[in-house]
Amino acid sequence: GNRLIAYQILSNTFHRVDHSLATISCMVEVAPGEYFVGSDEGLFGITIKNYAVDRQTGELSGKRYSRIHEILFHPYTQRLVMFDYSEGLGVDNTVSVIDIESFTEIKKIEVGPNPGCISPGPDEAVYVATYGSNIADGDFNFVKINSQTDEVERIYNEKVMNFAIDNNNIAYL
């Protein structure tokens, strides 16, 4: 529904944040209290203060993205990297690089079938796990994108579905 749950970790309390967006599929903080939110209706900017939406932009992508699956704010380049399933699951093999100020797509980078988990690396790279066209075939990989050139730098032949990069620069696959 139209609610978001904020969990305050230190006090172990939950807060309901009402909003007017459709189902939120992902969100990323770009500055304290400022977020980009992906939903079934597209990409929006919101500001949250005191567990309430203080400001909400209109849809930012011109309805180019309607089923946003994952979004990443890259701190080194100050850009968004995202992918969506607007054309259907398994159709798009790319991630989009978005300039935040002009909100234009700078580039589509082909990473492989069904991009999944995405995360910034300590080396100014972006890492993506691709789910493949058929998981049973094992055609999923771990991809490194150079954020300076917006090109795939390396495809690791590792069967990765999800991963996390910790503060010690270790990726757990």
Side-chain angles (χ1 to χ4, degrees):
N2 291 8
R3 66 186 180 126
L4 176 67
I5 304 297
Y7 174 61
Q8 214 302 323
I9 296 170
L10 297 177
S11 67
N12 195 32
T13 56
F14 292 87
H15 303 273
R16 180 183 172 139
V17 178
D18 293 318
H19 60 83
S20 61
L21 302 170
T23 303
I24 292 176
S25 55
C26 55
M27 67 187 291
V28 62
E29 187 176 41
V30 294
E34 296 181 18
Y35 303 85
F36 280 106
V37 178
S39 79
D40 292 343
E41 296 177 346
L43 186 68
F44 298 85
I46 63 172
T47 301
I48 297 176
K49 290 183 182 174
N50 300 320
Y51 305 108
V53 174
D54 182 57
R55 181 186 62 84
Q56 176 180 319
T57 68
E59 205 283 326
L60 296 169
S61 76
K63 300 287 186 186
R64 289 187 306 266
Y65 309 105
S66 59
R67 294 181 58 209
I68 297 170
H69 178 71
E70 189 80 33
I71 187 170
L72 164 77
F73 172 69
H74 197 281
Y76 302 110
T77 61
Q78 300 288 299
R79 296 180 187 164
L80 296 178
V81 180
M82 59 184 240
F83 55 91
D84 74 326
Y85 294 144
S86 298
E87 297 177 28
L89 187 63
V91 175
D92 196 359
N93 296 337
T94 64
V95 295
S96 297
V97 180
I98 309 292
D99 175 70
I100 294 174
E101 194 168 306
S102 64
F103 209 81
T104 55
E105 183 177 70
I106 296 169
K107 187 168 189 178
K108 278 186 147 331
I109 304 169
E110 189 165 322
V111 294
N114 285 323
C117 182
I118 187 169
S119 182
D123 52 356
E124 300 186 17
V126 173
Y127 291 89
V128 179
T130 61
Y131 296 157
S133 56
N134 184 356
I135 291 174
D137 292 341
D139 64 347
F140 42 100
N141 291 301
F142 189 54
V143 179
K144 179 180 181 180
I145 298 171
N146 181 317
S147 66
Q148 300 303 312
T149 63
D150 295 327
E151 299 286 338
V152 171
E153 187 171 298
R154 185 167 180 189
I155 298 175
Y156 300 89
N157 189 17
E158 294 292 333
K159 307 307 178 206
V160 176
M161 293 291 293
N162 203 347
F163 66 95
I165 299 174
D166 72 7
N167 291 334
N168 294 318
N169 300 331
I170 298 173
Y172 293 93
L173 315 175

